[in-house]
mmCIF file of all heavy atoms in Angstrom:
data_model
loop_
_atom_site.group_PDB
_atom_site.id
_atom_site.type_symbol
_atom_site.label_atom_id
_atom_site.label_comp_id
_atom_site.label_asym_id
_atom_site.label_seq_id
_atom_site.Cartn_x
_atom_site.Cartn_y
_atom_site.Cartn_z
ATOM 1 N N ASN G 8 1.303 19.361 6.522
ATOM 2 C CA ASN G 8 0.211 20.262 6.894
ATOM 3 C C ASN G 8 0.774 21.649 7.180
ATOM 4 O O ASN G 8 1.555 21.835 8.113
ATOM 5 C CB ASN G 8 -0.523 19.708 8.120
ATOM 6 C CG ASN G 8 -1.682 20.582 8.554
ATOM 7 O OD1 ASN G 8 -2.066 21.531 7.869
ATOM 8 N ND2 ASN G 8 -2.237 20.274 9.707
ATOM 9 N N SER G 10 -0.675 24.197 8.384
ATOM 10 C CA SER G 10 -1.245 24.869 9.546
ATOM 11 C C SER G 10 -0.675 24.241 10.814
ATOM 12 O O SER G 10 -0.810 23.039 11.030
ATOM 13 C CB SER G 10 -2.770 24.741 9.554
ATOM 14 O OG SER G 10 -3.302 25.304 10.741
ATOM 15 N N LEU G 11 -0.045 25.056 11.642
ATOM 16 C CA LEU G 11 0.570 24.545 12.869
ATOM 17 C C LEU G 11 -0.381 24.577 14.063
ATOM 18 O O LEU G 11 -0.035 24.089 15.135
ATOM 19 C CB LEU G 11 1.828 25.359 13.199
ATOM 20 C CG LEU G 11 2.892 25.437 12.098
ATOM 21 C CD1 LEU G 11 4.104 26.212 12.592
ATOM 22 C CD2 LEU G 11 3.298 24.044 11.624
ATOM 23 N N ARG G 12 -1.558 25.122 13.875
ATOM 24 C CA ARG G 12 -2.523 25.272 14.957
ATOM 25 C C ARG G 12 -2.978 23.906 15.463
ATOM 26 O O ARG G 12 -3.250 23.001 14.676
ATOM 27 C CB ARG G 12 -3.716 26.082 14.440
ATOM 28 C CG ARG G 12 -4.678 26.571 15.479
ATOM 29 C CD ARG G 12 -5.596 27.636 14.875
ATOM 30 N NE ARG G 12 -6.396 27.097 13.793
ATOM 31 C CZ ARG G 12 -7.584 26.543 13.945
ATOM 32 N NH1 ARG G 12 -8.110 26.418 15.155
ATOM 33 N NH2 ARG G 12 -8.261 26.105 12.907
ATOM 34 N N ARG G 13 -3.093 23.771 16.767
ATOM 35 C CA ARG G 13 -3.456 22.487 17.381
ATOM 36 C C ARG G 13 -4.795 21.967 16.852
ATOM 37 O O ARG G 13 -4.954 20.774 16.582
ATOM 38 C CB ARG G 13 -3.501 22.628 18.908
ATOM 39 C CG ARG G 13 -3.791 21.333 19.647
ATOM 40 C CD ARG G 13 -3.697 21.486 21.158
ATOM 41 N NE ARG G 13 -4.591 22.510 21.677
ATOM 42 C CZ ARG G 13 -4.189 23.683 22.161
ATOM 43 N NH1 ARG G 13 -2.902 23.971 22.199
ATOM 44 N NH2 ARG G 13 -5.044 24.588 22.605
ATOM 45 N N ASP G 14 -5.788 22.848 16.725
ATOM 46 C CA ASP G 14 -7.112 22.440 16.255
ATOM 47 C C ASP G 14 -7.315 22.769 14.778
ATOM 48 O O ASP G 14 -8.424 23.104 14.352
ATOM 49 C CB ASP G 14 -8.203 23.115 17.099
ATOM 50 C CG ASP G 14 -8.198 22.621 18.540
ATOM 51 O OD1 ASP G 14 -7.909 21.429 18.745
ATOM 52 O OD2 ASP G 14 -8.471 23.425 19.446
ATOM 53 N N SER G 15 -6.274 22.653 14.004
ATOM 54 C CA SER G 15 -6.311 22.976 12.582
ATOM 55 C C SER G 15 -7.400 22.207 11.843
ATOM 56 O O SER G 15 -7.509 20.985 11.968
ATOM 57 C CB SER G 15 -4.938 22.625 11.977
ATOM 58 O OG SER G 15 -5.014 22.485 10.586
ATOM 59 N N ILE G 16 -8.203 22.929 11.051
ATOM 60 C CA ILE G 16 -9.200 22.232 10.236
ATOM 61 C C ILE G 16 -8.521 21.427 9.133
ATOM 62 O O ILE G 16 -9.081 20.447 8.642
ATOM 63 C CB ILE G 16 -10.268 23.189 9.650
ATOM 64 C CG1 ILE G 16 -9.650 24.234 8.732
ATOM 65 C CG2 ILE G 16 -11.086 23.825 10.760
ATOM 66 C CD1 ILE G 16 -10.684 25.107 8.019
ATOM 67 N N HIS G 17 -7.305 21.810 8.768
ATOM 68 C CA HIS G 17 -6.576 21.022 7.760
ATOM 69 C C HIS G 17 -6.164 19.670 8.316
ATOM 70 O O HIS G 17 -6.225 18.659 7.624
ATOM 71 C CB HIS G 17 -5.366 21.813 7.247
ATOM 72 C CG HIS G 17 -5.782 22.946 6.370
ATOM 73 N ND1 HIS G 17 -6.175 24.156 6.873
ATOM 74 C CD2 HIS G 17 -5.931 23.009 5.028
ATOM 75 C CE1 HIS G 17 -6.540 24.933 5.877
ATOM 76 N NE2 HIS G 17 -6.404 24.265 4.750
ATOM 77 N N ARG G 18 -5.750 19.649 9.559
ATOM 78 C CA ARG G 18 -5.423 18.371 10.202
ATOM 79 C C ARG G 18 -6.680 17.486 10.259
ATOM 80 O O ARG G 18 -6.638 16.305 9.937
ATOM 81 C CB ARG G 18 -4.875 18.620 11.617
ATOM 82 C CG ARG G 18 -4.606 17.354 12.410
ATOM 83 C CD ARG G 18 -3.205 16.906 12.282
ATOM 84 N NE ARG G 18 -2.993 15.601 12.885
ATOM 85 C CZ ARG G 18 -1.810 15.070 13.042
ATOM 86 N NH1 ARG G 18 -0.737 15.722 12.639
ATOM 87 N NH2 ARG G 18 -1.669 13.888 13.573
ATOM 88 N N LYS G 19 -7.802 18.080 10.645
ATOM 89 C CA LYS G 19 -9.060 17.323 10.719
ATOM 90 C C LYS G 19 -9.459 16.808 9.339
ATOM 91 O O LYS G 19 -9.907 15.662 9.200
ATOM 92 C CB LYS G 19 -10.157 18.201 11.305
ATOM 93 C CG LYS G 19 -9.948 18.542 12.770
ATOM 94 C CD LYS G 19 -11.002 19.511 13.271
ATOM 95 C CE LYS G 19 -10.739 19.888 14.729
ATOM 96 N NZ LYS G 19 -11.705 20.888 15.222
ATOM 97 N N TYR G 146 -15.228 24.281 4.838
ATOM 98 C CA TYR G 146 -15.302 23.399 6.007
ATOM 99 C C TYR G 146 -16.531 23.677 6.860
ATOM 100 O O TYR G 146 -16.750 24.799 7.307
ATOM 101 C CB TYR G 146 -14.046 23.555 6.861
ATOM 102 C CG TYR G 146 -13.927 22.507 7.945
ATOM 103 C CD1 TYR G 146 -13.308 21.297 7.691
ATOM 104 C CD2 TYR G 146 -14.474 22.728 9.204
ATOM 105 C CE1 TYR G 146 -13.216 20.320 8.670
ATOM 106 C CE2 TYR G 146 -14.386 21.750 10.191
ATOM 107 C CZ TYR G 146 -13.755 20.555 9.909
ATOM 108 O OH TYR G 146 -13.675 19.584 10.883
#
Side-chain angles (χ1 to χ4, degrees):
N8 181 9
S10 175
L11 304 183
R12 192 166 62 90
R13 183 175 57 251
D14 293 325
S15 161
I16 61 174
H17 288 83
R18 176 94 188 189
K19 292 175 182 177
Y146 190 88

